Structure formats: structure tokens, C-alpha cells
């Protein structure tokens, strides 16, 4: 068994994130001491942790991640999900670019005055 600190370090996440994922049911510790509440993780849980981290880094919500881990995701479904995510990120980029253009325009107006 690994302490929460050791598990967090191996997974390159914070204690706080592990506690949050425990509360949400996404990554429940293998053992919780009844008296102290101390969480312990099984090394076999690292695979699930790495999947969660990878999916979160791609921008998937906790609900999406939970659904993917619960039902499993084949390559075809993952490709569809990533295409949807790509479209979302492209839209976010388009909006950010438009905001940046507006900020630059306003700065230019201020500098002219």
C-alpha cells in the first residue's frame, strides 16, 4: 500500500486532487483507516490515476472521465470524443483571439489619445 503522499508523488498530482477525486468517487483509496481517516492506495491504482490525469489534461470534465472509465472507451469512441474536444478547443481559441484583437484595438485607441 502507498500513502496518499507517495501515491500523489508517483502520479504527479496533489493530495488535494486525490481527496477531491475520492469524494467524487472517481478514484477511491484502496483502504481508509476508520480511526484516522488516513487514505492508502494500491500500486495497481496507478494505471487508473494515469488515465484520469491524461483525460483531464485533454480537457475532459470529471463527469466525462468517470463515464469513460466506467464504460470503457474503444479507439473509435475515443477518436469521436477527441474530435469533439478539438472543436471545443478551436472555438475557445477563436474567442480568445477575438478578445485579444479587441484589447489591442482599445490599447491602440488609448495610446492615440
Amino acid at each position: 500500500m502507498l500513502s496518499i503522499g507517495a501515491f500523489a508523488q508517483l502520479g504527479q498530482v496533489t493530495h488535494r486532487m486525490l481527496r477531491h477525486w475520492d469524494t467524487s468517487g472517481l478514484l477511491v483509496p484502496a483502504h481508509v483507516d476508520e480511526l484516522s481517516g488516513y487514505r492508502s492506495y494500491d500500486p495497481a491504482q496507478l494505471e487508473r490515476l494515469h488515465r484520469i490525469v491524461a483525460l483531464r489534461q485533454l480537457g475532459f470534465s470529471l463527469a466525462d472521465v468517470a463515464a469513460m472509465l466506467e464504460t470503457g472507451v474503444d479507439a473509435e469512441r475515443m477518436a469521436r470524443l477527441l474530435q469533439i474536444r478539438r472543436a471545443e478547443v478551436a472555438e475557445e481559441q477563436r474567442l480568445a483571439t477575438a478578445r485579444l484583437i479587441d484589447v489591442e484595438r482599445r490599447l491602440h485607441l488609448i495610446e492615440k489619445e
Side-chain angles (χ1 to χ4, degrees):
M1 293 297 236
L2 298 168
S3 69
I4 191 171
F7 193 70
Q9 187 174 16
L10 285 171
Q12 299 181 340
V13 296
T14 64
H15 301 92
R16 185 173 178 231
M17 193 58 58
L18 288 174
R19 286 186 188 97
H20 177 65
W21 291 342
D22 175 17
T23 303
S24 69
L26 192 59
L27 184 60
V28 178
H31 176 73
V32 178
D33 186 274
E34 292 178 22
L35 297 175
S36 67
Y38 191 80
R39 295 167 170 88
S40 298
Y41 292 84
D42 189 298
Q45 291 180 285
L46 281 169
E47 182 180 342
R48 184 175 178 92
L49 174 63
H50 290 284
R51 286 183 182 160
I52 292 167
V53 170
L55 292 168
R56 292 292 292 149
Q57 285 178 341
L58 289 171
F60 289 106
S61 71
L62 286 181
D64 290 338
V65 171
M68 284 185 244
L69 293 175
E70 183 178 314
T71 61
V73 181
D74 61 18
E76 185 178 317
R77 182 167 179 236
M78 180 55 79
R80 284 193 311 269
L81 290 169
L82 288 172
Q83 288 168 350
I84 292 167
R85 184 66 190 131
R86 179 180 55 194
E88 292 169 351
V89 170
E91 178 63 11
E92 290 168 8
Q93 181 182 19
R94 185 190 69 74
L95 292 172
T97 299
R99 281 192 304 271
L100 180 60
I101 289 169
D102 189 43
V103 167
E104 293 290 341
R105 182 182 59 80
R106 290 172 190 268
L107 275 171
H108 182 72
L109 288 173
I110 290 170
E111 290 169 354
K112 282 176 98 173
E113 289 180 3

